[in-house]
Amino acid sequence: PRPSAALGGPARLHVVVLLAAVLGLQSADTGAIGSLAAPIEAAFHVGNVALGLLATASTLIGAITCLPFGVLVDRRNRTLLLQAVCVVWGASTVVSGASTSFGMLLLVRVFQGGVTAVAGPAMASLAGDLFPSDERGRLWGYVLTGELAGAGIGILFTGILSELVGWRVALSALGVPAFVLAWALRRWLPEPARGGAARLQPGATSIPVATGPARTSGGVRRVVLAPPSDVERQAERLGARPYPGTVVQGPDDLDLRAAVRHVLRIRSNVALIVASGIGYFFVQGLETFVELFFRERYGVGQSVASVLFVVIASGAVIGVILGGHAADQLIRGGRASGRMIVGALSFAGVTGAFAPAVFLPALAYAGPALAVAAVFLGAVNPPVDTARLDVVPSFLWGRAEAVRTTLRQSLQGFAPLLFGLVSTAFGAHTGGFGAGVDTARTGISAPTGEGLQAAFALFSIPMLLAGMVL
C-alpha cells in the first residue's frame, strides 16, 4: 500500500516522517562519530577512552539541561522548539568538522548536546497528542525507524565520504540537512491542540491546531483532558485504583520539583525509566564502537564496515515495526500489560542473541547473527517508549519525558567511556590522549578487536536485568 494509506492518512504520514527525521538527525550524529572513530583518533592522537569521552560529555550535559526544557515543552510551542533544535544541531555539526583540536571538538559537542536535549520531551508530548492510544506503539515504531535509518545513513554517508574527501568535510556536510528539516517542520507541522483534541484518526488530512488563549482570565492554564486510553479502560474494568497521593487535578497544580516527585511515584514509570536507561546505555556504546569492532575484528575497510552496520540496522528496523505492532495487538486483545510483556521479552532476546554473536569467528556468520540480535534490540523501544504515555497525565508528558531522559542519559552518557575503558582492559589499544591508532607512528601493536568483543558481550548481560525489571 501507499505510505499514507499504510499509516492511516496524509496527516499521519507528515507527522511520522518529520518526527522520524528529527530522531534521524540525532542518531546520525552519534553514528557519524562512530564511523569516523579511526580518523578522529588518528587526527588528534587519542584512543578509545577519549573517543568515548566525546560522546559521554555531550550526553551528560543533555541530561542536565533536559529538565528545564521539559517545562518549556509543557508550556510553549513544541514545534518551534524542534525547529530551533535543528538549526543549532546543523550549525554545531558544521563547526565540529572545522575543529582544530580535540578540546575544541569536545566543547562544540557539549554545547550541541545541551541545546538539543529539548527534542526528546517535545517529541514524546507531540506523539501523545497526535497518535491514538490503540495505535501508538505501531506509529511510534515507524518514527523510530528514523532513528535507526539516521544511524545507518550517518555511518554510511560519513564513512564513504571521509575516504573521498576526509573526515572533516564528511562531518560538516552531515549538518546541512538539518536546516532543510527546520524549514520542513515550519511548513508541515503546526503546533497541535493538547490533551487529546488533536488525535489523528484514520484518514485525517490535516492536524488540528491549538487555538484560543492559553490561559483563562484567572491565570489558570486551559487544558483539554485526553480521553481514556485502552490501557486506562482495561484498568478500570479490572477494578484498579490509583495509588494514594498520585492524583493531580491540572497542569497548574505542580511546579517542576513537584512534577518530578509525581512522575517518580508512578511505579510503572519508574520501571520504564530503569529499563530504558539500561537499554540506551547498551545502544549508545554499540553505536559508538561497532564499526571500529568490525574493522579490528574482521579486518575490513571503512566502507565495508559502514555497510555492515547498515545491514544490522536493517534488522533493528524490522524489530521496531514488529515490537510496536505486537504491543498494540496485545492491548487491543485485553492485555493491559502488553507493552511491558513485549519489552521484557525483547530485552531478554538481546542478551540471548547478541552475547554469542560477537564471538563468532567469521564475518559470514557474525553478520547475520548480529542482525537477528538487532531485531530484538529494535523491538524494545516502541512498547517501552509509548507505555509511559499511558501512565502519566497528558499535561505532564514533557516534564515526565524530561525526568526519564535525565535519569536515562545520566546512565547512558557513561556508556562510550565505560565501553572504551573495558575494551582497553581486555586488550584494545590505549593511545592515551597523546597517541593514536597509527601503529607505524606510535609503536602500539595492531588491535585485534578482542577488547571490544569482551565489552559488547559483558554489557549485553544487563539487558536481561532490564527485562526482569519490566
Side-chain angles (χ1 to χ4, degrees):
R2 296 173 55 188
S4 61
L7 293 175
R12 288 186 179 185
L13 178 63
H14 288 161
V15 173
V16 167
V17 169
L18 290 172
L19 294 186
V22 174
L23 273 182
L25 278 181
Q26 294 183 306
S27 59
D29 177 69
T30 303
I33 295 300
S35 174
L36 302 174
I40 288 176
E41 289 181 348
F44 297 121
H45 305 301
V46 296
N48 285 2
V49 175
L51 189 72
L53 178 63
L54 199 63
T56 294
S58 174
T59 303
L60 289 181
I61 194 66
I64 294 172
T65 60
C66 196
L67 274 177
F69 281 144
V71 177
L72 285 178
V73 166
D74 282 335
R75 297 178 179 177
R76 296 290 184 266
N77 188 308
R78 294 160 289 183
T79 59
L80 284 178
L81 290 173
L82 286 180
Q83 293 167 36
V85 164
C86 292
V87 172
V88 170
W89 187 90
S92 57
T93 302
V94 172
V95 173
S96 293
S99 298
T100 57
S101 66
F102 181 79
M104 178 180 174
L105 180 61
L106 180 62
L107 286 176
V108 173
R109 301 287 299 177
V110 166
F111 171 77
Q112 184 186 67
V115 175
T116 57
V118 70
M123 292 182 60
S125 181
L126 287 169
D129 279 328
L130 292 169
F131 296 157
S133 61
D134 61 342
E135 297 183 82
R136 195 175 285 150
R138 180 177 70 91
L139 294 174
W140 187 249
Y142 285 116
V143 171
L144 289 176
T145 62
E147 183 175 25
L148 297 165
I153 292 171
I155 284 183
L156 188 62
F157 174 80
T158 56
I160 294 175
L161 192 60
S162 68
E163 290 191 335
L164 298 175
V165 295
W167 71 269
R168 293 182 182 278
V169 175
L171 184 58
S172 294
L174 193 64
V176 175
F179 301 106
V180 178
L181 179 56
W183 171 83
L185 287 167
R186 183 174 180 82
R187 173 69 176 80
W188 285 297
L189 187 60
E191 175 69 6
R194 294 181 184 257
R199 295 280 163 78
L200 297 175
Q201 300 303 323
T205 59
S206 62
I207 298 172
V209 298
T211 57
R215 294 181 177 272
T216 65
S217 57
V220 178
R221 184 153 58 94
R222 295 181 184 276
V223 62
V224 178
L225 295 180
S229 68
D230 285 1
V231 171
E232 291 169 327
R233 286 192 291 267
Q234 290 172 25
E236 185 176 353
R237 286 198 298 269
L238 292 170
R241 295 290 180 268
Y243 287 108
T246 62
V247 178
V248 291
Q249 300 302 318
D252 292 297
D253 289 349
L254 302 173
D255 57 20
L256 178 58
R257 182 179 300 180
V260 171
R261 288 199 302 266
H262 173 75
V263 299
L264 292 179
R265 281 201 299 263
I266 302 173
R267 302 183 185 187
S268 299
N269 195 46
V270 172
L272 291 164
I273 290 173
V274 172
S276 65
I278 294 173
Y280 275 93
F281 174 92
F282 181 73
V283 170
Q284 182 82 34
L286 183 67
E287 288 184 352
T288 303
F289 288 112
V290 69
E291 186 171 344
L292 190 61
F293 168 73
F294 282 137
R295 297 185 66 182
E296 293 181 353
R297 173 69 172 164
Y298 301 109
V300 298
Q302 179 87 43
S303 298
V304 175
S306 298
V307 171
L308 286 170
F309 181 87
V310 172
V311 171
I312 293 175
S314 299
V317 169
I318 295 172
V320 296
I321 295 173
L322 293 178
H325 182 75
D328 285 350
Q329 286 291 100
L330 285 176
I331 288 174
R332 283 197 292 268
R335 296 298 297 269
S337 57
R339 303 197 205 280
M340 299 294 198
I341 293 171
V342 173
L345 293 177
S346 299
F347 271 122
V350 173
T351 302
F354 199 95
V358 296
F359 288 99
L360 292 173
L363 185 58
Y365 303 119
L370 288 171
V372 171
V375 173
F376 289 105
L377 190 61
V380 164
N381 288 335
V384 171
D385 285 357
T386 54
R388 66 189 185 273
L389 301 174
D390 290 324
V391 296
V392 175
S394 61
F395 50 80
L396 286 177
W397 278 339
R399 280 167 284 184
E401 178 61 12
V403 171
R404 186 182 86 116
T405 302
T406 296
L407 297 179
R408 187 196 79 201
Q409 289 192 182
S410 297
L411 177 62
Q412 176 187 351
F414 287 103
L417 185 59
L418 290 177
F419 269 69
L421 288 170
V422 170
S423 70
T424 299
F426 282 88
H429 67 274
T430 60
F433 281 84
V437 297
D438 188 343
T439 57
R441 293 172 53 191
T442 64
I444 302 172
S445 60
T448 63
E450 292 182 357
L452 287 173
Q453 181 186 57
F456 290 156
L458 286 174
F459 285 123
S460 71
I461 297 174
M463 299 290 275
L464 181 61
L465 173 63
M468 293 171 65
V469 168
L470 289 185

